[in-house]
Amino acid sequence: MAEAAPRRQPTLDEVAALAGVSRSVASRALNNAPHVSRAKREAVERVVRQLGYVPNPRARALATRQTGAAALVVSGEDPSIFADPFFAQVIVGASAALEEADLHLMLCLAASDRGRKRVEELFRSRGADGVMLMALREDDPLARMAQEAEIPVVFGGRPVGPAPRWYVDVDNVGGAREATEYLLSHGRTRVAAICGRLDTEAGRARYRGYRDAVLAAGLDPFPPLEGDFTEPSGAAVMAALLESHPDVDGVFAANDNMAAGALRSLRGARRLVPADVAVVGFDDLEIAKIADPPLTTVHQPITALGRETARMLVALLDGQDPTPLILPTGLVTRSSA
Protein backbone atom coordinates (compact mmCIF):
# COMPACT_ATOMS: atom_id res chain seq x y z
CA MET A 1 0.00 0.00 0.00
CA ALA A 2 1.50 3.35 -1.09
CA GLU A 3 2.45 5.80 1.62
CA ALA A 4 0.44 9.01 1.81
CA ALA A 5 2.28 12.05 0.53
CA PRO A 6 3.56 14.27 3.33
CA ARG A 7 1.32 17.22 4.06
CA ARG A 8 2.68 20.44 2.58
CA GLN A 9 3.52 23.08 5.14
CA PRO A 10 1.62 26.38 4.74
CA THR A 11 3.70 29.39 3.77
CA LEU A 12 3.93 32.85 5.23
CA ASP A 13 2.47 34.22 1.99
CA GLU A 14 -0.64 32.08 2.52
CA VAL A 15 -0.94 33.28 6.10
CA ALA A 16 -0.70 36.90 4.98
CA ALA A 17 -3.24 36.44 2.18
CA LEU A 18 -5.84 34.79 4.42
CA ALA A 19 -5.30 37.38 7.15
CA GLY A 20 -5.65 40.22 4.66
CA VAL A 21 -2.25 41.77 5.42
CA SER A 22 1.09 42.12 3.66
CA ARG A 23 3.81 39.50 4.08
CA SER A 24 5.98 41.87 6.12
CA VAL A 25 3.09 42.69 8.49
CA ALA A 26 2.42 38.98 8.98
CA SER A 27 6.11 38.40 9.69
CA ARG A 28 6.27 41.17 12.30
CA ALA A 29 3.04 40.03 13.91
CA LEU A 30 4.42 36.52 14.32
CA ASN A 31 7.57 37.85 15.93
CA ASN A 32 5.96 40.40 18.26
CA ALA A 33 7.71 43.22 16.40
CA PRO A 34 6.50 46.80 16.94
CA HIS A 35 4.16 48.87 14.77
CA VAL A 36 1.52 46.21 14.08
CA SER A 37 -2.07 47.06 14.99
CA ARG A 38 -3.95 44.80 17.41
CA ALA A 39 -6.54 43.92 14.76
CA LYS A 40 -3.92 42.80 12.25
CA ARG A 41 -1.96 40.88 14.87
CA GLU A 42 -5.10 39.00 15.94
CA ALA A 43 -6.03 38.26 12.30
CA VAL A 44 -2.60 36.74 11.69
CA GLU A 45 -2.78 34.67 14.88
CA ARG A 46 -6.19 33.26 13.87
CA VAL A 47 -4.89 32.17 10.47
CA VAL A 48 -1.77 30.65 12.01
CA ARG A 49 -3.94 28.48 14.25
CA GLN A 50 -6.25 27.63 11.36
CA LEU A 51 -3.44 26.53 9.02
CA GLY A 52 -1.04 25.15 11.60
CA TYR A 53 1.71 27.40 10.32
CA VAL A 54 5.18 26.97 11.89
CA PRO A 55 7.59 29.94 11.38
CA ASN A 56 11.01 29.32 9.86
CA PRO A 57 13.65 29.85 12.60
CA ARG A 58 15.94 31.84 10.30
CA ALA A 59 13.12 34.10 9.16
CA ARG A 60 12.10 34.60 12.79
CA ALA A 61 15.64 35.65 13.70
CA LEU A 62 15.66 38.23 10.91
CA ALA A 63 12.23 39.59 11.74
CA THR A 64 13.00 40.23 15.40
CA ARG A 65 15.63 42.79 14.33
CA GLN A 66 13.08 45.01 12.57
CA THR A 67 12.66 48.61 13.68
CA GLY A 68 9.39 49.26 11.88
CA ALA A 69 10.86 52.11 9.80
CA ALA A 70 12.38 52.66 6.36
CA ALA A 71 14.50 55.67 5.40
CA LEU A 72 14.36 57.74 2.23
CA VAL A 73 17.81 59.31 1.87
CA VAL A 74 18.29 62.13 -0.64
CA SER A 75 21.71 63.46 -1.57
CA GLY A 76 20.85 67.11 -1.07
CA GLU A 77 21.61 69.86 1.43
CA ASP A 78 18.49 72.04 1.38
CA PRO A 79 15.57 70.71 3.47
CA SER A 80 13.19 72.46 1.07
CA ILE A 81 14.09 69.79 -1.48
CA PHE A 82 11.33 67.67 0.04
CA ALA A 83 8.84 70.39 -0.95
CA ASP A 84 9.99 70.21 -4.57
CA PRO A 85 7.06 68.82 -6.59
CA PHE A 86 9.18 65.92 -7.85
CA PHE A 87 10.28 64.71 -4.42
CA ALA A 88 6.87 65.49 -2.93
CA GLN A 89 5.32 63.00 -5.36
CA VAL A 90 8.04 60.45 -4.62
CA ILE A 91 7.28 60.76 -0.91
CA VAL A 92 3.55 60.30 -1.52
CA GLY A 93 4.19 57.07 -3.43
CA ALA A 94 6.76 55.69 -1.00
CA SER A 95 4.66 56.56 2.04
CA ALA A 96 1.60 54.79 0.65
CA ALA A 97 3.55 51.61 -0.09
CA LEU A 98 5.22 51.59 3.33
CA GLU A 99 1.88 52.20 5.04
CA GLU A 100 0.56 49.02 3.40
CA ALA A 101 3.45 47.20 5.06
CA ASP A 102 2.98 49.01 8.40
CA LEU A 103 6.37 50.69 8.10
CA HIS A 104 7.11 54.29 9.03
CA LEU A 105 8.92 56.61 6.61
CA MET A 106 12.03 58.50 7.73
CA LEU A 107 13.41 61.37 5.60
CA CYS A 108 17.14 62.15 5.56
CA LEU A 109 19.34 64.64 3.69
CA ALA A 110 22.92 63.63 3.05
CA ALA A 111 25.09 66.00 1.03
CA SER A 112 26.94 67.85 3.80
CA ASP A 113 29.56 66.10 5.94
CA ARG A 114 27.18 66.23 8.90
CA GLY A 115 24.35 64.72 6.86
CA ARG A 116 26.53 61.92 5.53
CA LYS A 117 27.74 61.07 9.03
CA ARG A 118 24.14 60.79 10.20
CA VAL A 119 23.32 58.44 7.33
CA GLU A 120 26.47 56.41 7.97
CA GLU A 121 25.38 56.03 11.59
CA LEU A 122 21.92 54.99 10.36
CA PHE A 123 23.51 52.18 8.34
CA ARG A 124 25.89 51.14 11.12
CA SER A 125 23.34 51.14 13.94
CA ARG A 126 20.55 49.57 11.85
CA GLY A 127 18.42 52.57 12.71
CA ALA A 128 16.04 51.54 9.93
CA ASP A 129 14.99 48.21 8.44
CA GLY A 130 16.10 49.39 5.02
CA VAL A 131 17.03 52.45 2.99
CA MET A 132 15.92 54.03 -0.29
CA LEU A 133 18.60 56.21 -1.90
CA MET A 134 17.85 59.01 -4.39
CA ALA A 135 19.56 61.85 -6.28
CA LEU A 136 23.06 60.41 -6.04
CA ARG A 137 25.85 62.16 -7.94
CA GLU A 138 29.02 60.75 -9.45
CA ASP A 139 31.44 59.40 -6.81
CA ASP A 140 28.81 60.02 -4.12
CA PRO A 141 29.96 58.57 -0.74
CA LEU A 142 26.43 57.25 -0.24
CA ALA A 143 27.03 54.66 -2.98
CA ARG A 144 29.98 53.25 -1.01
CA MET A 145 27.92 53.23 2.19
CA ALA A 146 25.20 51.30 0.37
CA GLN A 147 27.69 48.66 -0.80
CA GLU A 148 28.95 48.16 2.75
CA ALA A 149 25.54 48.29 4.45
CA GLU A 150 24.17 45.25 6.27
CA ILE A 151 20.59 46.35 5.72
CA PRO A 152 18.72 46.29 2.38
CA VAL A 153 19.23 49.30 0.10
CA VAL A 154 17.18 50.15 -2.99
CA PHE A 155 18.09 52.96 -5.38
CA GLY A 156 15.35 55.24 -6.67
CA GLY A 157 17.00 56.13 -9.96
CA ARG A 158 20.27 54.53 -11.01
CA PRO A 159 23.52 56.14 -9.85
CA VAL A 160 26.37 56.97 -12.24
CA GLY A 161 28.52 53.89 -12.88
CA PRO A 162 27.75 50.18 -12.58
CA ALA A 163 24.08 49.46 -11.93
CA PRO A 164 23.34 48.37 -8.35
CA ARG A 165 21.58 45.10 -7.66
CA TRP A 166 18.26 46.67 -6.70
CA TYR A 167 16.87 49.82 -8.27
CA VAL A 168 13.75 51.39 -9.76
CA ASP A 169 14.18 53.94 -12.53
CA VAL A 170 12.29 55.51 -15.42
CA ASP A 171 13.14 55.25 -19.10
CA ASN A 172 15.19 58.44 -19.23
CA VAL A 173 16.87 57.68 -22.56
CA GLY A 174 13.64 56.63 -24.27
CA GLY A 175 11.69 59.61 -22.96
CA ALA A 176 14.33 62.12 -24.07
CA ARG A 177 14.58 60.45 -27.46
CA GLU A 178 10.80 60.64 -27.95
CA ALA A 179 10.76 64.32 -26.98
CA THR A 180 13.53 65.15 -29.45
CA GLU A 181 11.97 63.07 -32.23
CA TYR A 182 8.75 65.02 -31.74
CA LEU A 183 10.57 68.32 -32.26
CA LEU A 184 12.37 66.97 -35.34
CA SER A 185 9.16 65.55 -36.80
CA HIS A 186 7.62 69.03 -36.64
CA GLY A 187 10.29 70.55 -38.87
CA ARG A 188 12.80 71.70 -36.27
CA THR A 189 16.37 71.35 -37.52
CA ARG A 190 18.38 73.29 -34.92
CA VAL A 191 17.36 71.49 -31.74
CA ALA A 192 19.43 72.00 -28.58
CA ALA A 193 19.28 70.24 -25.21
CA ILE A 194 19.35 71.93 -21.82
CA CYS A 195 20.76 69.12 -19.71
CA GLY A 196 20.41 68.46 -16.04
CA ARG A 197 23.47 67.94 -13.88
CA LEU A 198 25.91 65.75 -15.82
CA ASP A 199 27.23 64.20 -12.61
CA THR A 200 23.87 62.41 -12.32
CA GLU A 201 22.71 59.43 -14.35
CA ALA A 202 19.40 61.14 -15.16
CA GLY A 203 21.22 64.15 -16.61
CA ARG A 204 23.49 61.97 -18.73
CA ALA A 205 20.79 59.55 -19.85
CA ARG A 206 18.46 62.31 -21.05
CA TYR A 207 21.26 63.87 -23.06
CA ARG A 208 22.00 60.47 -24.61
CA GLY A 209 18.36 60.17 -25.67
CA TYR A 210 18.47 63.63 -27.25
CA ARG A 211 21.76 62.92 -29.03
CA ASP A 212 20.57 59.55 -30.36
CA ALA A 213 17.48 61.15 -31.92
CA VAL A 214 19.43 64.00 -33.54
CA LEU A 215 22.09 61.67 -34.97
CA ALA A 216 19.41 59.30 -36.30
CA ALA A 217 17.93 62.27 -38.17
CA GLY A 218 21.29 62.95 -39.83
CA LEU A 219 21.86 66.18 -37.91
CA ASP A 220 24.60 67.37 -35.59
CA PRO A 221 23.69 67.45 -31.89
CA PHE A 222 24.55 70.48 -29.81
CA PRO A 223 27.11 69.85 -27.07
CA PRO A 224 25.52 69.41 -23.63
CA LEU A 225 24.39 72.72 -22.14
CA GLU A 226 24.34 71.99 -18.42
CA GLY A 227 21.79 73.32 -15.96
CA ASP A 228 21.06 72.06 -12.46
CA PHE A 229 17.37 71.09 -12.82
CA THR A 230 16.20 74.49 -11.47
CA GLU A 231 14.16 77.19 -13.22
CA PRO A 232 16.88 79.89 -12.92
CA SER A 233 19.45 77.57 -14.52
CA GLY A 234 17.10 76.88 -17.42
CA ALA A 235 16.64 80.61 -17.96
CA ALA A 236 20.39 81.27 -17.82
CA VAL A 237 21.27 78.46 -20.24
CA MET A 238 18.53 79.53 -22.67
CA ALA A 239 19.73 83.15 -22.63
CA ALA A 240 23.31 82.04 -23.35
CA LEU A 241 22.08 79.72 -26.09
CA LEU A 242 20.25 82.56 -27.86
CA GLU A 243 23.44 84.61 -27.74
CA SER A 244 25.64 81.88 -29.21
CA HIS A 245 23.10 80.23 -31.55
CA PRO A 246 20.35 82.71 -32.46
CA ASP A 247 19.11 80.30 -35.14
CA VAL A 248 18.04 77.65 -32.62
CA ASP A 249 14.45 76.59 -33.35
CA GLY A 250 13.84 73.80 -30.84
CA VAL A 251 14.83 73.02 -27.26
CA PHE A 252 14.56 69.85 -25.22
CA ALA A 253 14.94 70.63 -21.52
CA ALA A 254 15.77 67.74 -19.19
CA ASN A 255 13.06 68.73 -16.72
CA ASP A 256 10.03 70.99 -16.51
CA ASN A 257 11.65 73.49 -14.15
CA MET A 258 14.42 74.24 -16.64
CA ALA A 259 11.89 74.28 -19.50
CA ALA A 260 9.90 76.92 -17.63
CA GLY A 261 13.09 78.94 -17.23
CA ALA A 262 13.74 78.61 -20.96
CA LEU A 263 10.25 79.97 -21.68
CA ARG A 264 11.00 82.98 -19.48
CA SER A 265 14.18 83.81 -21.38
CA LEU A 266 12.46 83.34 -24.73
CA ARG A 267 9.75 85.79 -23.69
CA GLY A 268 12.42 88.26 -22.63
CA ALA A 269 14.09 87.90 -26.02
CA ARG A 270 10.73 88.41 -27.79
CA ARG A 271 10.88 84.93 -29.32
CA LEU A 272 7.49 83.35 -29.96
CA VAL A 273 6.84 79.84 -28.61
CA PRO A 274 6.37 77.63 -30.54
CA ALA A 275 6.44 79.72 -33.75
CA ASP A 276 10.11 80.74 -33.38
CA VAL A 277 11.35 78.17 -30.85
CA ALA A 278 9.50 75.04 -29.76
CA VAL A 279 10.16 73.76 -26.22
CA VAL A 280 9.66 70.32 -24.69
CA GLY A 281 10.27 69.47 -21.04
CA PHE A 282 10.49 66.30 -18.95
CA ASP A 283 8.53 65.23 -15.81
CA ASP A 284 4.96 66.47 -16.43
CA LEU A 285 4.85 68.41 -13.18
CA GLU A 286 2.11 70.92 -12.35
CA ILE A 287 4.34 73.72 -13.63
CA ALA A 288 4.06 72.21 -17.13
CA LYS A 289 0.30 72.74 -17.11
CA ILE A 290 0.36 76.34 -15.89
CA ALA A 291 3.39 77.50 -17.92
CA ASP A 292 2.87 80.15 -20.61
CA PRO A 293 2.36 78.50 -23.01
CA PRO A 294 1.58 75.12 -21.40
CA LEU A 295 4.50 72.74 -21.86
CA THR A 296 4.67 69.75 -24.11
CA THR A 297 6.61 67.36 -21.88
CA VAL A 298 7.59 63.80 -21.15
CA HIS A 299 5.41 62.29 -18.45
CA GLN A 300 7.27 60.13 -15.99
CA PRO A 301 5.33 58.23 -13.28
CA ILE A 302 6.92 59.98 -10.30
CA THR A 303 4.49 58.74 -7.65
CA ALA A 304 4.92 55.21 -9.02
CA LEU A 305 8.70 55.65 -8.80
CA GLY A 306 8.40 56.26 -5.06
CA ARG A 307 5.81 53.52 -4.61
CA GLU A 308 7.75 50.84 -6.52
CA THR A 309 11.03 51.74 -4.82
CA ALA A 310 9.36 51.25 -1.44
CA ARG A 311 7.69 48.03 -2.59
CA MET A 312 11.03 46.67 -3.74
CA LEU A 313 12.49 47.45 -0.32
CA VAL A 314 9.56 45.72 1.40
CA ALA A 315 10.11 42.68 -0.84
CA LEU A 316 13.74 42.53 0.29
CA LEU A 317 12.65 42.76 3.92
CA ASP A 318 10.30 39.87 3.22
CA GLY A 319 13.23 37.70 2.08
CA GLN A 320 12.59 38.02 -1.66
CA ASP A 321 15.13 38.91 -4.37
CA PRO A 322 13.34 41.35 -6.71
CA THR A 323 14.68 42.31 -10.13
CA PRO A 324 15.40 45.92 -11.20
CA LEU A 325 12.45 47.82 -12.63
CA ILE A 326 12.31 50.44 -15.40
CA LEU A 327 9.09 52.45 -15.54
CA PRO A 328 7.79 53.71 -18.93
CA THR A 329 7.52 57.34 -19.97
CA GLY A 330 5.22 59.00 -22.51
CA LEU A 331 4.93 62.30 -24.35
CA VAL A 332 2.18 64.74 -23.36
CA THR A 333 1.54 67.35 -26.07
CA ARG A 334 0.48 70.87 -25.18
CA SER A 335 1.05 74.31 -26.73
CA SER A 336 4.81 74.85 -26.42
CA ALA A 337 5.74 72.51 -29.31
Side-chain angles (χ1 to χ4, degrees), residues 106-238:
M106 301 166 54
L107 301 177
C108 304
L109 287 173
S112 65
D113 288 341
R114 181 179 180 184
R116 282 190 290 268
K117 286 179 181 178
R118 290 177 61 188
V119 173
E120 194 166 17
E121 177 60 25
L122 179 74
F123 281 126
R124 185 169 53 247
S125 66
R126 293 177 173 268
D129 292 341
V131 171
M132 298 167 283
L133 288 181
M134 298 196 73
L136 268 63
R137 300 174 185 173
E138 189 173 16
D139 299 324
D140 199 311
L142 291 179
R144 174 189 54 79
M145 294 182 200
Q147 291 177 344
E148 299 172 355
E150 295 183 6
I151 57 177
V153 178
V154 175
F155 290 77
R158 284 169 290 186
V160 173
R165 184 171 180 181
W166 298 296
Y167 66 84
V168 179
D169 206 349
V170 300
D171 185 7
N172 288 301
V173 173
R177 183 172 55 241
E178 183 179 13
T180 308
E181 288 172 346
Y182 181 82
L183 289 166
L184 296 168
S185 71
H186 283 68
R188 310 295 167 158
T189 59
R190 295 286 292 162
V191 178
I194 300 178
C195 304
R197 295 184 60 109
L198 293 174
D199 60 355
T200 67
E201 179 58 24
R204 294 183 182 187
R206 293 175 192 177
Y207 180 74
R208 288 198 301 271
Y210 153 82
R211 183 193 59 199
D212 290 350
V214 173
L215 289 173
L219 301 172
D220 294 326
F222 280 66
L225 306 169
E226 187 175 3
D228 63 4
F229 292 115
T230 65
E231 192 272 355
S233 75
V237 171
M238 187 72 243

Side-chain angles (χ1 to χ4, degrees), residues 5 8 10 63 77 134-135 158 165-166 216 241 272 277 297 299 307 326 333 336:
R8 184 180 67 82
E77 296 178 348
M134 298 196 73
R158 284 169 290 186
R165 184 171 180 181
W166 298 296
L241 178 62
L272 299 178
V277 183
T297 187
H299 174 82
R307 181 176 64 247
I326 302 292
T333 56
S336 69

Side-chain angles (χ1 to χ4, degrees), residues 261-276:
L263 292 179
R264 178 159 61 87
S265 286
L266 288 167
R267 281 195 302 273
R270 298 178 183 254
R271 297 294 186 93
L272 299 178
V273 178
D276 298 329

Side-chain angles (χ1 to χ4, degrees), residues 241-266:
L241 178 62
L242 290 173
E243 286 285 332
S244 59
H245 297 280
D247 58 342
V248 65
D249 62 4
V251 171
F252 163 64
N255 80 339
D256 289 343
N257 291 330
M258 293 192 299
L263 292 179
R264 178 159 61 87
S265 286
L266 288 167

